[in-house]
């Protein structure tokens, strides 16, 4: 292939690029890009195309409540949620999303089907977690999780779905609530988890990851 | 090491002002942490750890690999410029076995500003993106006086470094995920997204070899015999995050493609015959939980003219055939990042007819009478690299690496030997004997080099790293002891290396 051949291919590629299909866009600063396109071409890289992420570094979004996703994306966009795992990835990605796109992303992921996660913990730990989820820790005045998050952990409005979430992610977020003010939208949780021990948090996270269908 | 720890510390003290100054600058930048990011980070608004495993450049995370495979197009167009600088200090174990330590161990024990790079990188359109690097080497060459002798000074030089311009598209829905793309690049495997690819599996930063010649960056690495600064086009596809395939070919970076070798003089430009210099790469990948693994293979056949030779003469043409296998495992779950890497490459080099014709070995065996064996028309080398690294909170990291190159013995590669008196001399004022090369020479004509590298580093902020490295050789140029014929042992080349690296 001569130099002209290389350049020819270059021009063809440029021509094809000029006709780029917005249906496969990865542009995060274009309000005309449909939310579904962004979900599948950008969000999917970490959260999975169906909202079920492979790595526990990234939360599962499948079946998450729409109001919660909207609230979180707006918190990232305005930099009010500032836990490292959040801002390192999400501040930039959300910075120019429109409200309409955020609503669309929330709708997309809320409608995805959650995949059951493997129950990695032992029976005793899961049982201890179930006890906290369903009954709280009465001696410390810690209410039961299901009171707000639903009896199956399915979430309720701005109270997020917890069922089938990665235990590692849940544990880290409980720690963020307990030890920092990096999630002001969840200030209520700071009070609730204040007296939870790390073992309590590990137990309840383990239970929620492998939460059995009811 | 022959130097006492006290002497080393005394020399390191000279770096203190530099370190304090840099730390002050980093502390200032830290205030604007989330905004003070290089080109790609500005484009996506994300931190470096999103794409680089544990913030350890250039190793990519699964997301970073997808960012590259989709043509550097995620995000929005931003100022596509970044700069990088390296300050370093190196100390070789033994500098005494040399005719001219100031020449053989240039800048040994001297803190220096080693190199800097300008990156032009970023999204161009929704499908096209660029990663390109122009590097200034502050110690590119040693200046020579009118008498032809080194003056002790250096001259800097800038040239095109890595160039990767790519077009990519992705077809993804709930049932399939196919990424396809085309890369125009100047270095075989620079288009790759795994850190065990030949172009990427290297401890970085790598200062100029003329200033630090025995650090890990100059130790054997798997690589393609063609070298870089070529012009290539490769096409790739990644299917369901499971199977990766890339095919391409390379040619000389000349005429309208000369920007890919910009800054390199004609005599130093790698010249290939035609465009039939194929490159290929296949990989299988899998992710589960915080783990991911890749097992792959790559290869290239390159028809390369001897450096600086006349390309109209077919007798100046040699050939490299490379084939490698590599594997990378990553565990990434905050705050831990663990990477295990293995790369093995076999290279066969067939020498040009003119190289062979001009390569009558001048040396004798130790008896001073029997000539050494005639040269072989080809050589085979096998290079193995293993590396284990761990990073905590994307700030504190360390690694250990093993390298081992073996290969055929060939008197063509012998640069030290006995003369007709059974002597080995490195200077020959009467010009009646045969000279040998000290320090970098080879008495055996065998390339065997083996050793370990240990590194510890600290990343105080995401765009700066301070690291210490120690490279220990158990074999060098074919021997453990007396590899150059003048009593220099492999362990004499052991090198301590300290660097401060910043990118913005």
């Amino acid at each position: 292939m001569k130099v002209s051949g290389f350049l020819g291919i270059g021009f063809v590629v440029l021509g094809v690029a000029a006709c780029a299909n917005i249906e496969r866009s990865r542009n995060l600063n274009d309000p005309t890009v449909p939310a579904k396109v962004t979900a599948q071409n950008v969000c999917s890289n970490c959260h999975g195309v169906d909202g079920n992420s492979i790595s526990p570094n990234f939360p599962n979004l499948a079946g998450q409540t729409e109001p919660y996703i909207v609230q979180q994306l707006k918190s990232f966009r305005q930099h009010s949620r500032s836990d490292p795992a959040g801002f390192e990835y999400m501040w930039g990605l959300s910075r120019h999303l429109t409200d309409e796109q955020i609503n669309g992303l929330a709708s997309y992921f809320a409608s995805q089907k959650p995949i059951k996660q493997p129950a990695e913990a032992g029976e005793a730990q899961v049982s201890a977690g179930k006890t906290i989820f369903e009954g709280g820790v009465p001696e410390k005045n810690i209410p039961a999780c299901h009171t707000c998050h639903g009896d199956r952990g399915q979430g309720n409005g701005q109270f997020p779905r917890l069922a089938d979430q990665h235990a590692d992610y849940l544990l880290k977020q409980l720690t963020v609530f307990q030890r920092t003010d990096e999630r002001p939208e969840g200030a209520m949780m700071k009070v609730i988890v204040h007296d939870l021990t790390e073992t309590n948090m590990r137990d309840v996270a383990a239970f929620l990851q492998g939460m059995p269908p009811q | 090491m022959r130097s006492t720890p006290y002497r080393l510390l005394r020399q390191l003290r000279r770096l203190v002002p530099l370190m304090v100054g840099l730390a002050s600058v980093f502390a200032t930048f830290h205030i604007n942490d989330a905004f003070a990011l290089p080109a790609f980070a500005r484009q996506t608004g994300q931190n470096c750890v999103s794409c680089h495993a544990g913030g350890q450049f250039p190793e990519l995370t699964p997301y970073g690999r997808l960012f590259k495979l989709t043509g550097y197009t995620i995000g929005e167009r931003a100022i596509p410029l970044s700069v990088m600088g390296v300050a370093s200090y190196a100390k070789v174990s033994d500098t005494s076995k040399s005719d001219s330590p100031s020449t053989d161990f240039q800048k040994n024990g001297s803190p220096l500003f080693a190199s800097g790079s300008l990156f032009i990188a970023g999204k161009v359109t929704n499908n096209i993106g660029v990663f390109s690097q122009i590097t200034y080497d502050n110690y590119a060459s040693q200046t020579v006086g009118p008498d032809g002798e080194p003056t002790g000074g250096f001259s800097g030089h800038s040239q095109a470094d890595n160039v990767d311009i790519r077009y990519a598209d992705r077809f993804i829905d709930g049932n399939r995920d196919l990424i396809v793309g085309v890369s125009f690049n100047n270095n075989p495997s620079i288009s790759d997204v795994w850190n065990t690819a030949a172009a990427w599996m290297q401890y970085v930063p790598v200062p100029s070899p003329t200033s630090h010649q025995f650090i890990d960056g100059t130790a054997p690495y798997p690589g393609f015999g063609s070298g870089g600064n070529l012009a290539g086009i490769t096409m790739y596809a990644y299917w369901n995050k499971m199977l990766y395939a890339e095919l391409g070919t390379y040619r000389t970076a000349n005429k309208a493609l000369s920007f890919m070798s910009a800054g390199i003089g004609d005599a130093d430009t790698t010249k290939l015959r035609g465009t039939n210099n194929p490159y290929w790469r296949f990989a299988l990948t899998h992710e589960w939980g915080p783990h991911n693994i890749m097992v792959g293979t790559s290869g290239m056949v390159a028809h390369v003219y001897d450096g600086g030779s006349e390309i109209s003469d077919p007798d100046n043409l040699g050939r490299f055939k490379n084939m490698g296998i590599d594997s990378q495992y990553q565990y990434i779950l905050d705050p831990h990042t663990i990477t295990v890497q293995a790369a093995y490459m076999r290279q066969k080099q067939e020498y040009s007819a003119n190289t062979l014709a001009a390569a009558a070995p001048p040396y004798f065996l130790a008896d001073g009478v029997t000539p050494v064996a005639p040269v072989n028309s080809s050589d085979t080398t096998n290079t193995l690299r293993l590396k284990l690294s761990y990073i905590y909170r994307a700030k504190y990291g360390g690694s250990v690496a093993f390298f081992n190159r073996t290969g055929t013995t060939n008197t063509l590669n012998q640069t030290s030997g006995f003369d007709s008196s059974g002597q080995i001399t490195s200077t020959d004022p009467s010009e009646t004997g045969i000279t040998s090369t000290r320090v970098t020479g080879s008495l055996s004509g065998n390339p065997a080099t083996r050793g370990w590298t240990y590194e510890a580093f600290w990343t105080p902020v995401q765009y700066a790293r301070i690291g210490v490295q120690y490279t220990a050789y158990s074999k060098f140029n074919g021997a453990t002891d007396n590899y150059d014929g003048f009593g220099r042992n492999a362990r004499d080349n052991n090198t301590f290396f300290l660097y401060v690296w910043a990118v913005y």
Side-chain angles (χ1 to χ4, degrees):
Chain A
M1 193 186 304
K2 294 183 179 303
V3 168
S4 56
F6 270 74
L7 295 176
I9 292 173
F11 283 121
V12 169
V13 165
L14 277 173
V16 172
C19 307
N21 189 339
I22 201 167
E23 293 303 315
R24 297 194 294 276
S25 175
R26 294 171 287 277
N27 193 339
L28 292 168
N29 190 18
D30 181 352
T32 66
V33 176
K36 182 180 178 183
V37 171
T38 298
Q40 294 188 333
N41 284 277
V42 179
C43 311
S44 71
N45 289 326
C46 297
H47 296 285
V49 70
D50 60 357
N52 291 286
S53 62
I54 295 174
S55 169
N57 273 316
F58 310 107
N60 287 320
L61 300 181
Q64 187 53 275
T65 65
E66 275 190 57
Y68 177 74
I69 296 177
V70 168
Q71 180 198 55
Q72 294 306 304
L73 282 172
K74 289 183 176 176
S75 294
F76 287 129
R77 189 177 63 181
Q78 65 195 32
H79 296 184
S80 60
R81 178 175 169 179
S82 59
D83 55 306
F87 83 75
E88 287 169 357
Y89 289 84
M90 291 304 299
W91 278 15
L93 295 181
S94 62
R95 61 187 164 181
H96 290 131
L97 291 177
T98 64
D99 286 351
E100 185 183 356
Q101 286 173 315
I102 285 175
N103 292 336
L105 289 169
S107 173
Y108 175 87
F109 285 111
S111 65
Q112 301 298 314
K113 190 172 188 303
I115 294 176
K116 293 306 297 179
Q117 300 296 311
E120 296 168 337
E123 200 172 310
Q125 188 176 27
V126 169
S127 176
K130 185 171 189 283
T131 301
I132 296 171
F133 180 79
E134 294 179 347
V137 185
E139 63 272 24
K140 293 181 179 175
N141 292 322
I142 296 172
C145 314
H146 78 101
T147 310
C148 296
H149 294 279
D151 57 352
R152 288 171 288 114
Q154 75 276 23
N156 179 22
Q158 295 208 345
F159 298 103
R161 176 190 179 88
L162 303 179
D164 310 313
Q165 190 55 271
H166 297 293
D168 184 83
Y169 180 78
L170 290 171
L171 174 63
K172 283 172 179 160
Q173 291 307 310
L174 286 170
T175 306
V176 167
F177 285 127
Q178 187 182 59
R179 301 180 186 174
T180 77
D181 295 313
E182 292 166 349
R183 293 192 60 175
E185 89 290 349
M188 178 191 301
M189 282 297 293
K190 188 173 180 66
V191 178
I192 292 170
V193 302
H194 182 265
D195 290 327
L196 277 182
T197 65
E198 185 175 332
T199 302
N200 292 151
M201 291 193 279
R202 287 186 184 280
D203 291 346
V204 77
F207 167 71
L208 288 164
Q209 172 172 303
M211 196 168 183
Q214 294 180 20
Chain B
M1 291 176 70
R2 181 158 290 193
S3 302
T4 63
Y6 175 76
R7 282 171 57 193
L8 184 61
L9 283 172
R10 196 173 54 185
Q11 286 167 323
L12 284 174
R13 264 177 28 197
R14 282 185 277 170
L15 275 179
V16 169
L18 173 66
M19 308 283 277
V20 170
L22 284 169
S24 305
V25 173
F26 298 153
T28 304
F29 284 169
H30 191 58
I31 295 166
N32 294 318
D33 201 9
F35 302 98
L37 307 173
F40 284 141
R42 283 191 291 269
Q43 174 180 319
T44 64
Q46 296 175 298
N47 276 38
C48 302
V49 293
S50 305
C51 288
H52 294 287
Q56 177 186 219
F57 319 100
E59 184 182 324
L60 296 174
T61 61
Y63 172 69
R65 291 194 281 272
L66 292 172
F67 175 78
K68 181 171 176 177
L69 288 173
T70 51
Y72 313 108
T73 59
I74 293 175
E76 58 197 68
R77 275 194 290 268
I79 297 170
L81 296 174
S82 285
V83 291
M84 182 179 87
V86 179
S88 64
Y89 169 94
K91 183 81 175 164
V92 180
S93 176
D94 188 319
T95 58
S96 66
K97 298 165 189 171
S98 162
D99 290 331
S100 174
S102 62
T103 304
D104 286 332
F105 308 101
Q106 301 159 3
K107 294 297 175 186
N108 187 58
S110 301
L112 51 89
F113 169 71
S115 61
S117 287
L118 171 70
F119 292 91
I120 303 170
K123 176 189 182 92
V124 178
T125 73
N126 275 343
N127 295 92
I128 292 179
V130 175
F131 170 82
S132 64
Q133 181 180 4
I134 300 161
T135 294
Y136 172 75
D137 180 352
N138 203 19
Y139 296 88
S141 57
Q142 201 166 18
T143 52
V144 177
D147 57 355
E149 293 299 311
T151 62
F154 288 82
S155 57
H157 182 71
S158 299
Q159 67 176 66
D161 201 334
N162 297 313
V163 177
D164 178 24
I165 305 165
R166 60 174 68 203
Y167 167 90
D169 207 346
R170 186 177 192 179
F171 304 88
I172 181 172
D173 57 33
N175 302 312
R176 63 170 179 175
D177 181 5
L178 177 65
I179 298 172
V180 294
V182 180
S183 166
F184 296 91
N185 63 76
N186 69 344
N187 189 3
S189 80
I190 200 73
S191 53
D192 212 272
V193 293
W194 289 278
N195 210 52
T196 47
W200 293 109
M201 192 183 185
Q202 192 165 35
Y203 271 102
V204 290
V206 183
S208 169
T210 58
S211 54
H212 299 333
Q213 66 169 320
F214 295 117
I215 61 168
D216 177 274
T218 62
Y221 273 93
F224 296 100
S226 63
N229 289 108
L230 309 170
I233 180 169
T234 64
M235 283 166 273
Y236 62 91
Y238 191 33
W239 180 67
N240 282 352
K241 293 190 197 172
M242 185 177 75
L243 175 64
Y244 178 79
E246 182 176 2
L247 294 170
T249 191
Y250 287 80
R251 58 159 292 131
T252 306
N254 59 1
K255 300 179 182 173
L257 301 170
S258 59
F259 69 94
M260 289 191 168
S261 63
I264 301 176
D266 185 65
D268 295 324
T269 300
T270 303
K271 296 188 175 69
L272 304 183
R273 186 185 69 184
T275 53
N276 182 25
N277 302 287
Y279 164 83
W280 51 269
R281 163 62 143 166
F282 299 103
L284 284 170
T285 65
H286 181 61
E287 285 181 54
W288 72 104
H291 316 268
N292 69 81
I293 192 166
M294 180 280 298
V295 178
T297 179
S298 62
M300 183 177 183
V301 178
H303 306 84
V304 185
Y305 288 99
D306 294 336
S309 70
E310 179 53 58
I311 62 171
S312 60
D313 182 355
D315 286 343
N316 286 326
L317 190 66
R319 183 165 68 167
F320 289 94
K321 288 195 269 191
N322 287 92
M323 193 173 117
I325 53 174
D326 60 316
S327 183
Q328 174 175 281
Y329 162 82
Q330 290 177 319
Y331 172 88
I332 304 173
L333 186 61
D334 188 49
H336 309 292
T337 302
I338 299 170
T339 307
V340 182
Q341 299 174 333
Y344 171 85
M345 185 166 279
R346 183 179 183 84
Q347 174 174 291
K348 184 176 183 186
Q349 179 179 9
E350 298 167 2
Y351 295 104
S352 72
N354 282 341
T355 296
L356 294 172
Y363 304 115
F364 297 86
L365 299 183
D367 61 11
V369 178
T370 312
V372 297
V375 301
N376 298 324
S377 61
S378 66
D379 272 319
T380 300
T381 57
N382 308 285
T383 306
L384 173 70
R385 271 268 171 182
L386 304 171
K387 184 182 178 189
L388 168 68
S389 61
Y390 171 73
I391 305 166
Y392 179 68
R393 299 181 71 87
K395 276 188 180 299
Y396 313 101
S399 69
V400 57
F402 172 72
F403 53 87
N404 187 29
R405 180 173 63 195
T406 59
T408 51
T409 299
N410 191 347
T411 50
L412 178 68
N413 301 317
Q414 195 176 337
T415 52
S416 287
F418 298 93
D419 63 15
S420 57
S421 312
Q423 301 296 310
I424 300 176
T425 54
S426 60
T427 55
D428 185 23
S430 62
E431 297 185 355
T432 56
I434 303 169
T435 58
S436 296
T437 306
R438 299 193 74 157
V439 182
T440 58
S442 172
L443 183 63
S444 65
N446 186 282
T449 298
R450 185 172 61 218
W452 294 81
T453 298
Y454 311 89
E455 184 182 60
F457 62 82
W458 174 44
T459 309
V461 288
Q462 60 173 340
Y463 34 76
R465 193 163 87 198
I466 299 168
V468 289
Q469 218 179 70
Y470 188 73
T471 304
Y473 293 88
S474 59
K475 192 174 272 191
F476 193 85
N477 281 0
T480 298
D481 297 319
N482 191 28
Y483 69 82
D484 66 348
F486 297 96
R488 190 166 180 83
N489 304 322
R491 62 182 174 278
D492 294 333
N493 295 339
N494 293 357
T495 300
F496 170 84
F497 176 48
L498 172 89
Y499 63 83
V500 179
W501 181 30
V503 61
Y504 184 73

